[in-house]
Amino acid sequence: MTAILKRVALTLVLLFASSFAVFAAIRLSGGDVTAARLPASATAADRELFLQQVGLDQPIVRQYFTYLGNMFRGDLGNSLTNNASISALAVDKMRNSLILGAAALVLVFAIGIPLGLVAALRRNSWVDTGITSFSVAGMAIPNFWLALILIYIFAIQFQVLPAAGQGGWRYLVLPSVVLAAEGVALTVRMTRSAVLDTLGNDFVRTLRAAGLSNRRIYLKHVLRNSLLPIVSLAGLRVGQIVGYALVVEVIFGWPGVGQTLVNAVLRRDYPVVQFFALVLVVVVTLGNLAASIGYTLVNPRLRK
Amino acid sequence: MSSDTDPIVDPGTSGTTPVEHATDARTPLLEIDDLRVGVKGDNVAYDIVRGVSLSLYDNEILAVVGESGCGKSLTALSVLALHQSPPLHITGGAIRYRGVDLTTLSAAEMRALRGAEISMIFQDPMSALDPMFTVGSLLTSAVRAHRKASKAEARNAALEALADAGIEDPRRRFDEYPFQLSGGVSQRVMIALALVNDPSVIIADEPTTALDVTVQAQILERLRMLKEERKMGIMLITHNLGVVAAVADRTAVMYLGEVVETGSAQDVLAVPHHPYTNGLLAAVPRLNSKVADLKPVMGRVPQPQEITAGCAFRDRCERALDRCATEHPVLAPRHRTSVRCHNPVD
């Protein structure tokens, strides 16, 4: 329990640190904030005035504390490009990304674990070779390229799935598959080696000697023992999905956090970048936190 | 100690006075007959267990003794087809349990037999129990692998087995995980797991090797009690002659995949006829002997691939004759034991 509390405290520190890092990085990365909002004909004085209005003429540390103060009051600020309220924008984008990310995460484990288990149990057979090659391919193929190939096959050649946009579940298929691909590949390999490791344990022989069926031994005992490393790295899978969401949402025109963030960075829309980047940090941190808690829950040594 | 005191007389042999060798007239529970187990790979093929014959009767402890690599564990594992296959395969012989050849069973038939008719106890109890499940869950799974039982029935069977295995507080242990148990308690849990489906035979592969000496004695005593209370046949695999002396009724000494001497434990230990048995006994430290008096068995055990014709022990044997190099000795009765030797010790 204290371990979990310590973890939560550490998470809070991390959130503050990363909010400042994002805040500073976007300001130090150059580019002209005023270009997105003001016409090209705007004079230097106009630009100065605009910076004053949005508070960007202040020292960076003061800007940061103003930003923190506003955030704690629930004011996320407005977009610099169209003055839209970020809070109004946030809910929709976050929900869209959550749907896509959750679908991908489910695919990662729902496909990766069974395939890894089968590969391990049929090791050195053609089934194993097939699954392992598939997972090597999954790791080697860049996801933007995979996205284009899948769009070409399923949206253009066979026209069974939409190429981009958002609507029913059919719109979710291609982006979530692309987003999950590398995670599936890694989970397959990790599960395979964890299962092989577990199979070498003496207790498997004990269970056999007690007359348990193979099915029960593999699906209950071996899988449960092999889950530890998979669960402990589930946080990394979340991080991966969040990272790739930036690319995948842009390619598939998925109106989520990733797409919004990429557009905001291109326009130097500081408040939008700050908020959505922080959202990603929170998701990754929560993912890791959930993974540690999950690890504690599945490991009886830590639970007791 | 030996079957002399056994009141049960097989009806087929009624009238026979159960003296030494008379056990051979009863029907064994488990009969290993000229068993060969070997490595069969793409370009290797050699046997590790080379024609082992052993009989295990009810109400007896048979100790199979030998040094590391002599094939005693592999013999034990192959009874329940638990040997690592591939690369190991049973290449010849038969293993009969109540007359049925186990080497011909299907995987499903073998599974039904494991734990219910013949159980096994393994060497290192700490790693032989699944760390992710409680003692109770392990035992109830084993119960339900063999019969339909309600949760409460399975729980009762598990608690009873824990008590029979000599565990003080079965209810508490039921909810504990293996990492919470000491080595001795873990081994008792293993025994409970072996008992929970009430088998007739237990094969214990070095059950006390990983344990403290005091715990060893308790575990052996528990096995002896089980034999007596339940009339079980227990095959005890060990490299420790002290264990043989403490609990075994009969013993078989193995060397390089063969039984080289067998008989009642008392006879084999008191008057060994095979030079190897003799050497092993001379290598056992005694309280009234000096370290300098200990005589190791000279030389090293050959690899199974190196075995040639003749006696496998001859290169290490002080009593080797010319014919030992060419002629493979057979296991033949000599006084009160049976010996595989051309020039036995008298």
Side-chain angles (χ1 to χ4, degrees):
Chain A
M1 223 31 226
T2 49
I4 293 178
L5 286 179
K6 209 182 273 178
R7 187 69 197 247
V8 172
L10 212 63
T11 305
L12 288 176
V13 174
L14 182 78
L15 285 183
F16 275 108
S18 44
S19 72
F20 185 73
V22 169
F23 192 89
I26 185 71
R27 277 168 178 69
L28 298 174
S29 64
D32 185 3
V33 199
T34 60
R37 185 71 177 276
L38 299 182
S41 59
T43 62
D46 291 338
R47 293 175 195 277
E48 197 62 33
L49 184 66
F50 173 69
L51 288 180
Q52 268 177 31
Q53 281 172 349
V54 295
L56 287 174
D57 57 336
Q58 302 286 326
I60 197 165
V61 177
R62 176 174 295 172
Q63 284 183 38
Y64 179 67
F65 282 109
T66 314
Y67 153 71
L68 272 192
N70 288 342
M71 195 164 59
F72 279 117
R73 268 182 275 123
D75 176 11
L76 300 176
N78 295 339
S79 160
L80 290 183
T81 47
N82 56 14
N83 208 25
S85 150
I86 292 177
S87 5
L89 201 67
V91 178
D92 253 11
K93 305 288 183 198
M94 280 161 60
R95 196 193 55 222
N96 288 342
S97 283
L98 191 67
I99 291 171
L100 180 58
L105 197 64
V106 168
L107 285 182
V108 164
F109 295 115
I111 298 176
I113 293 177
L115 283 187
L117 180 68
V118 169
L121 294 180
R122 298 263 175 279
R123 78 172 158 288
N124 300 333
S125 70
W126 62 269
V127 180
D128 180 25
T129 314
I131 293 175
T132 312
S133 326
F134 168 81
S135 92
V136 170
M139 276 183 289
I141 296 175
N143 52 22
F144 59 86
W145 189 76
L146 179 65
L148 297 180
I149 295 294
L150 291 184
I151 289 173
Y152 177 74
I153 296 173
F154 292 101
I156 297 173
Q157 284 298 316
F158 294 107
Q159 307 204 341
V160 286
L161 290 168
Q166 201 202 17
W169 64 269
R170 284 155 43 86
Y171 287 83
L172 191 58
V173 177
L174 290 183
S176 59
V177 165
V178 171
L179 198 49
E182 189 172 318
V184 170
L186 288 167
T187 305
V188 165
R189 292 183 72 83
M190 214 185 330
T191 308
R192 182 181 180 275
S193 72
V195 168
L196 287 179
D197 246 26
T198 310
L199 284 175
N201 281 321
D202 285 352
F203 74 76
V204 176
R205 198 175 56 186
T206 306
L207 296 171
R208 275 212 180 98
L212 270 66
S213 64
N214 278 345
R215 189 192 162 83
R216 202 169 176 80
I217 293 174
Y218 297 145
L219 290 184
K220 189 174 163 193
H221 295 268
V222 171
L223 199 56
R224 181 73 173 272
N225 276 273
S226 309
L227 275 182
L228 279 184
I230 299 166
V231 170
S232 69
L233 292 180
L236 288 184
R237 298 289 88 79
V238 172
Q240 212 169 31
I241 285 175
V242 166
Y244 290 163
L246 299 183
V247 177
V248 172
E249 286 186 2
V250 171
I251 294 178
F252 287 98
W254 189 267
V257 174
Q259 195 195 41
T260 312
L261 184 59
V262 170
N263 287 336
V265 169
L266 294 178
R267 291 183 192 144
R268 293 291 181 274
D269 193 340
Y270 295 169
V272 175
V273 172
Q274 282 156 21
F275 176 71
F276 286 101
L278 199 59
V279 167
L280 297 191
V281 173
V282 170
V283 171
V284 172
T285 329
L286 287 183
N288 278 297
L289 187 65
S292 325
I293 294 173
Y295 186 81
T296 314
L297 290 182
V298 289
N299 189 341
R301 276 169 205 267
L302 298 178
R303 199 170 33 192
K304 284 269 166 174
Chain B
M1 279 296 281
S2 77
S3 52
D4 297 24
T5 55
D6 183 358
I8 295 178
V9 176
D10 191 294
T13 61
S14 59
T16 317
T17 325
V19 291
E20 199 50 49
H21 290 305
T23 43
D24 297 347
R26 297 160 54 209
T27 317
L29 266 178
L30 181 68
E31 191 181 14
I32 297 175
D33 185 4
D34 198 24
L35 179 71
R36 307 186 77 86
V37 186
V39 174
K40 256 201 311 202
D42 289 337
N43 39 26
V44 283
Y46 56 87
D47 283 347
I48 296 168
V49 174
R50 305 181 304 133
V52 166
S53 294
L54 293 169
S55 294
L56 177 69
Y57 298 86
D58 58 346
N59 192 25
E60 84 166 353
I61 295 182
L62 167 69
V64 179
V65 62
E67 59 197 297
S68 309
C70 74
K72 56 190 193 298
S73 286
L74 186 53
T75 305
L77 285 171
S78 60
V79 171
L80 288 179
L82 291 170
H83 53 283
Q84 186 83 46
S85 172
L88 295 167
H89 301 274
I90 292 178
T91 54
I95 301 167
R96 281 182 287 272
Y97 170 73
R98 296 188 191 275
V100 179
D101 186 356
L102 303 186
T103 61
T104 64
L105 294 189
S106 70
E109 289 166 332
M110 180 53 90
R111 188 202 68 72
L113 185 101
R114 290 175 182 151
E117 300 290 337
I118 302 176
S119 282
M120 253 192 110
I121 298 171
F122 295 98
Q123 176 167 353
D124 185 357
M126 307 293 252
S127 66
L129 296 173
D130 185 344
M132 303 294 275
F133 291 86
T134 60
V135 168
S137 139
L138 235 45
L139 288 165
T140 51
S141 297
V143 172
R144 289 170 141 187
H146 293 288
R147 59 187 164 99
K148 280 201 159 40
S150 71
K151 241 183 163 158
E153 283 166 352
R155 185 187 157 88
N156 285 337
L159 289 172
E160 204 176 301
L162 286 169
D164 288 346
I167 281 184
E168 300 277 332
D169 191 353
R171 276 168 205 287
R172 194 183 92 208
R173 299 299 186 193
F174 189 89
D175 293 318
E176 287 188 340
Y177 285 89
F179 73 90
Q180 295 169 294
L181 311 175
S182 67
V185 174
S186 300
Q187 194 56 294
R188 286 177 200 278
V189 170
M190 282 286 290
I191 294 177
L193 191 62
L195 288 178
V196 77
N197 286 300
D198 203 18
S200 320
V201 171
I202 289 184
I203 299 173
D205 186 5
E206 303 264 6
T208 58
T209 305
L211 304 176
D212 291 342
V213 181
T214 47
V215 182
Q216 283 188 14
Q218 293 164 11
I219 296 286
L220 290 174
E221 175 56 19
R222 179 57 55 176
L223 290 176
R224 204 189 55 73
M225 279 171 59
L226 287 170
K227 173 201 85 167
E228 266 162 26
E229 287 167 7
R230 303 187 176 210
K231 306 288 175 233
M232 295 180 109
I234 298 179
M235 187 191 286
L236 184 64
I237 312 295
T238 182
H239 64 265
N240 187 338
L241 291 168
V243 169
V244 181
V247 293
D249 300 308
R250 286 190 309 123
T251 186
V253 180
M254 280 185 68
Y255 184 77
L256 216 61
E258 289 181 313
V259 174
V260 294
E261 181 157 13
T262 179
S264 84
Q266 252 171 323
D267 291 336
V268 172
L269 294 179
V271 196
H273 293 306
H274 196 284
Y276 178 62
T277 320
N278 204 32
L280 281 184
L281 283 163
V284 175
R286 285 166 212 283
L287 280 179
N288 56 0
S289 66
K290 296 194 184 103
V291 175
D293 294 337
L294 287 182
K295 275 183 62 185
V297 180
M298 299 309 290
R300 65 170 185 91
V301 187
Q303 293 295 305
Q305 302 96 303
E306 301 170 357
I307 298 170
T308 50
C311 173
F313 186 61
R314 67 174 186 277
D315 291 337
R316 303 174 72 187
C317 184
E318 293 171 350
R319 301 173 57 84
L321 308 173
D322 286 347
R323 63 190 287 223
C324 297
T326 52
E327 203 180 315
H328 191 154
V330 294
L331 195 65
R334 175 152 194 106
H335 301 306
R336 293 164 70 86
T337 71
S338 292
V339 193
R340 189 189 291 279
C341 183
H342 292 310
N343 188 15
V345 185
D346 264 317

